[in-house]
Amino acid sequence: MVNELMQDDPEKILRQQDELKVKLLRAQSIVAECKAGLADLERRLERRAVSSPIDERQRNSAANNSIRNARPPKSRSVNDPVDQNAAVAFSSRSWDR
């Protein structure tokens, strides 16, 4: 291999060296971008993990309050009149199954 390098044109070797340096710089730049992106994602995940329990408690509290404040459904009797204009809760196809 050393003999092959010695036979190559020195300018060609310098060009290849420069090309490899450029490729290395590009690769290092890409790695740096990936690391920065990963660090950003980690920060966002940490913020979400920290804020999530509070949000969950607030959601649960709001749900519990709405359940507590809700009025019970009006009880119906068999003798109550039927609203003829009410929407039907099933389709005729359900009977065919």
Side-chain angles (χ1 to χ4, degrees), residues 4 7 14-15 19 33 40 51 56-57 66 86 89 94:
E4 290 174 18
Q7 293 172 355
L14 289 175
R15 261 194 320 271
E19 289 171 7
E33 286 178 34
D40 182 49
S51 67
E56 188 66 31
R57 279 181 280 175
S66 66
S94 65

Side-chain angles (χ1 to χ4, degrees), residues 2-70:
V2 174
N3 289 337
E4 290 174 18
L5 288 175
M6 297 299 273
Q7 293 172 355
D8 279 342
D9 180 19
E11 288 181 23
K12 182 179 176 184
I13 294 172
L14 289 175
R15 261 194 320 271
Q16 288 176 339
Q17 185 179 13
D18 288 343
E19 289 171 7
L20 289 173
K21 284 181 182 178
V22 168
K23 287 182 181 180
L24 178 62
L25 289 172
R26 284 185 190 148
Q28 289 173 333
S29 173
I30 290 170
V31 168
E33 286 178 34
C34 290
K35 285 182 178 180
L38 181 61
D40 182 49
L41 286 173
E42 287 175 342
R43 281 191 300 273
R44 284 197 269 163
L45 282 173
E46 285 175 10
R47 274 186 263 146
R48 182 178 284 177
V50 168
S51 67
S52 182
I54 295 168
D55 293 342
E56 188 66 31
R57 279 181 280 175
Q58 287 173 345
R59 271 187 249 126
N60 288 342
S61 176
N64 289 338
N65 286 339
S66 66
I67 290 170
R68 260 187 254 121
N69 296 335

